[in-house]
Amino acid sequence: MKKINSSLAQSLLAGDRIALAKAITLVESASPRHHREAQKIIDEILPYTGKSIRVGVTGVPGAGKSTFIEALGNFLISKKKRKVAVLAIDPTSTVSKGSILGDKTRMESLARNENAFIRPSPSAGVPGGVAAATRESILLCEAAGYDVIFVETMGVGQSETAVHSMVDFLLLLLLPGAGDELQGMKRGIVELADLLAVNKADGGNLQKVKLAQAAYKQALRLFPPNENGWKPDVVTCSALTGDGIPQIWKRIEDFEKLTKANRWFHVKRQEQSRQWLRERVLETVIKQLRENPKLKKKFTELERQVENGKMSVISATRALVMSFTE
Ligand code: GDP
């Protein structure tokens, strides 16, 4: 292995949580200098990443995502000797909101555990976007030795597809009752999920939970089988009492075993990396067009020519691409 030059990367690789938090702060920073530092660290730690299972947890606000992650996280640490990191992704998060939803008020018992690391969503102002920062944070957590990474969605809508593009397994938490209305979520999210869990299966909810489970099982039948050979299912759990939590973990382990054996685990990660690269390239090109004075001028000129019918879109594009290499 190559020698690690940065002392922050060294501490991070030794599992130092403060170093991990600092590195994530660099990733999220708006300062170009910090950003360059962050990229250097990521390049150094890259050989030590990838060895976790990345689990997305989504569901409407109030479904019990935080309570669930805390229960499963504590189970994994105490019974399975795992190290658990929890990242949140909220494309609408602002700095102040991010800190309110931060590790102090949520998941208190998990946050106190030395084998857990909890980080609120980056704020919407981060360069490259919230999703890019979260993807890089996943790598940093892995390098620091966390082998189960939860990515919790906070906002509704956009964050679900973003989270799907960065995890191995997506769990959709549902409320009892409200069967076929899909609980304010787009139908698409049910299609993306690897497992559906009707939460709050406790107290007087049991009847409603069973109804919801049956309705969702019915809904799943409408979807075509997955290419990876995995059959999504609907289970029930209570994040409050812990009922069903070990069984959900068993499903995630089964998924990991199956998709590692048939290589889909790897194939999906490769596709995610390619997609990430494509997004980054597009962003970088657009940023250059906005910020590089020469390119900006050229682009405006070409736009005018196209507008006035003096040049075709194809020729203008070609001319623009040429000016990138000049
Ligand atoms: P989130 O918005 O999806 O993260 O949901 P929270 O974890 O904040 O939970 C929302 C509310 O539901 C809280 O009052 C929790 O105490 C409660 N809750 C979460 N899980 C359960 C459960 O399994 N059973 C019951 N009865 N309440 C739950």
Side-chain angles (χ1 to χ4, degrees):
M1 286 284 181
K2 269 194 343 224
K3 189 171 167 290
I4 304 292
N5 293 313
S6 138
S7 64
L8 191 56
Q10 271 169 4
S11 313
L12 188 149
L13 287 168
D16 178 349
R17 290 206 295 184
I18 295 171
L20 173 59
K22 270 193 194 154
I24 295 182
T25 303
L26 290 177
V27 159
E28 294 173 353
S29 168
S31 135
R33 187 170 61 82
H34 288 165
H35 216 67
R36 278 194 298 276
E37 260 181 75
Q39 295 317 311
K40 264 196 210 140
I41 292 172
I42 290 177
D43 283 341
E44 290 206 298
I45 58 107
L46 205 57
Y48 303 91
T49 64
K51 291 188 195 78
S52 77
I53 173 101
R54 306 166 181 168
V55 179
V57 180
T58 186
V60 292
K65 296 180 293 295
S66 304
T67 316
F68 174 85
I69 292 172
E70 178 157 45
L72 179 53
N74 281 323
F75 165 79
L76 289 172
I77 292 168
S78 64
K79 297 281 190 297
K80 302 274 173 181
K81 304 285 170 257
R82 306 291 289 247
K83 284 185 77 179
V84 173
V86 185
L87 305 172
I89 176 163
D90 178 1
T92 64
S93 155
T94 58
V95 176
S96 60
K97 198 168 146 208
S99 61
I100 291 170
L101 289 173
D103 39 3
K104 285 180 195 64
T105 51
R106 307 171 80 246
M107 305 184 201
E108 270 175 46
S109 75
L110 189 60
R112 275 197 303 272
N113 197 306
E114 60 175 32
N115 289 312
F117 177 84
I118 301 182
R119 182 86 180 186
S121 176
S123 67
V126 301
V130 172
T134 305
R135 281 183 178 127
E136 289 177 343
S137 301
I138 291 178
L139 300 177
L140 293 169
C141 289
E142 288 175 344
Y146 293 87
D147 58 3
V148 181
I149 318 274
F150 290 109
V151 184
E152 178 188 6
T153 62
M154 308 293 286
V156 204
Q158 321 149 263
S159 58
E160 290 146 0
T161 29
V163 81
H164 181 250
S165 73
M166 61 181 80
V167 297
D168 306 309
F169 187 94
L170 186 63
L171 174 71
L172 173 58
L173 270 195
L174 299 157
L175 288 162
D180 49 4
E181 306 153 26
L182 296 187
Q183 305 186 5
M185 272 170 303
K186 285 196 221 86
R187 220 177 94 100
I189 189 66
V190 175
E191 216 165 346
L192 295 179
D194 297 298
L195 186 68
L196 281 64
V198 185
N199 189 31
K200 311 203 183 182
D202 49 51
N205 289 332
L206 291 177
Q207 189 60 26
K208 281 199 293 188
V209 167
K210 287 283 163 217
L211 283 175
Q213 186 183 24
Y216 282 108
K217 277 197 184 227
Q218 191 64 33
L220 279 188
R221 291 208 184 98
L222 303 174
F223 297 126
N226 279 335
E227 279 177 298
N228 63 7
W230 177 253
K231 278 204 188 72
D233 195 5
V234 191
V235 296
T236 66
C237 68
S238 167
L240 215 55
T241 66
D243 280 349
I245 300 282
Q247 288 79 355
I248 289 179
W249 183 249
K250 174 79 174 50
R251 297 277 184 141
I252 297 174
E253 283 180 331
D254 289 346
F255 174 91
E256 192 181 2
K257 256 186 231 144
L258 173 84
T259 57
K260 279 188 170 165
N262 68 19
R263 309 254 322 136
W264 271 99
F265 191 90
H266 183 64
V267 167
K268 185 170 173 188
R269 281 204 177 170
Q270 280 183 326
E271 171 51 28
Q272 288 174 335
S273 300
R274 282 196 299 270
Q275 187 191 337
W276 185 6
L277 173 68
R278 287 192 290 264
E279 282 170 24
R280 269 285 156 115
V281 168
L282 278 179
E283 264 163 34
T284 311
V285 168
I286 290 168
K287 193 165 180 273
Q288 287 285 317
L289 285 179
R290 287 209 187 100
E291 290 170 12
N292 178 316
K294 256 172 83 182
L295 287 173
K296 201 171 151 183
K297 186 159 167 266
K298 182 83 185 168
F299 187 54
T300 317
E301 269 170 32
L302 291 167
E303 241 180 356
R304 202 148 306 136
Q305 304 232 42
V306 169
E307 218 173 57
N308 298 331
K310 298 216 168 81
M311 201 175 194
S312 73
V313 168
I314 290 176
S315 307
T317 308
R318 201 172 293 141
L320 191 65
V321 172
M322 296 298 286
S323 55
F324 262 90
T325 55
E326 271 162 19

